[in-house]
Structure formats: structure tokens, C-alpha cells
Amino acid sequence: MREVMRKHMSEPFEWGGSDCSFVFDVIEAVTGFDAIHDCRGYLTEAGALRAIRRAGFQSVQEIVEASFHEIVPGIAIRGDIGYPAEVGHPLMSPAVIDGASAFSKHPKGAILVNRASIVRAWAV
């Protein structure tokens, strides 16, 4: 898990390479399950939106909701995922929880979130 996290957190944001796929790559490394298998292969923001819609979703959050069981954020453990705020964009990435922090990607780069700010979480 941490090896995949380190790799993505050190890479610049890239559509289809190191974007919200970071979170799903971590999940796949831990569980073998790729929740976005049908969405991969895009290279742009518009391509990402088309890919998730082709897979039957309107947002990354819908993929998360359909793929994982929602839990109370306070019981989330290392490797679970969550959102630190209301989702304002259909491609907003969840964050991977690891101890007191959560890690995510944004077009401006890697994001470190205080775990206490996670308002919704899902068990992985």
C-alpha cells in the first residue's frame, strides 16, 4: 500500500496516470479489486468524465459509493478511503487514510489531509 502511495505522491498530477486513479491503484494493491477497471485509458479531464459516464456513473464519488460500504469516519482504518468535504466536482478524488493523515491527488499535485477532516468514509 505505502509503496504505491509513495510512487503516486511523488509524481506530478497526470490525467489517467496519477489522478484519482492513485486511490484506486492503492486499493487494488491491497485487495486485488480495481473499481475503475472499466474507466481506465483516458488522457484528459474530458476523457475521464466520458470514461466514468460510459461505465454508468456521473462522478468518482458514485463509483466509491457503488463499490464500497460507507462507514462512520471515526472508525476508518489504514487503507480505507474518504472525502474531507462535500464533493464539488465530479472528478474529485477521495483520499486514502493512513494513520492521522489522508492522501489524495489534485490537478495542483499531491494533497495531504488531516484525517480529522474526513466527513465521509468507506471501508476497503
Side-chain angles (χ1 to χ4, degrees):
M1 175 180 129
R2 287 195 173 137
E3 181 180 323
V4 175
M5 289 175 66
R6 271 191 293 277
K7 174 187 168 290
H8 276 284
M9 295 306 283
S10 67
E11 294 177 347
F13 182 91
E14 177 186 9
W15 290 110
S18 193
D19 54 2
C20 69
S21 63
F22 147 69
V23 171
F24 297 102
D25 288 351
V26 170
I27 293 168
E28 184 176 17
V30 173
T31 67
F33 171 62
D34 184 5
I36 62 167
H37 173 76
D38 294 336
C39 302
R40 294 192 185 266
Y42 57 88
L43 300 173
T44 64
E45 180 177 5
L49 284 167
R50 281 191 303 273
I52 64 172
R53 290 186 177 135
R54 267 195 313 270
F57 302 101
Q58 294 300 309
S59 67
V60 173
Q61 182 178 353
E62 282 188 12
I63 295 170
V64 169
E65 291 170 339
S67 302
F68 305 99
H69 177 73
E70 188 165 3
I71 58 174
V72 174
I75 67 167
I77 61 172
R78 179 173 285 124
D80 288 340
I81 58 176
Y83 280 104
E86 287 300 315
V87 177
H89 190 281
L91 296 176
M92 182 176 170
S93 178
V96 176
I97 296 168
D98 188 11
S101 299
F103 301 84
S104 190
K105 292 293 276 222
H106 182 276
K108 293 180 181 178
I111 297 175
L112 176 65
V113 177
N114 183 313
R115 190 224 160 126
S117 67
I118 299 294
V119 297
R120 290 187 72 193
W122 290 264
V124 172

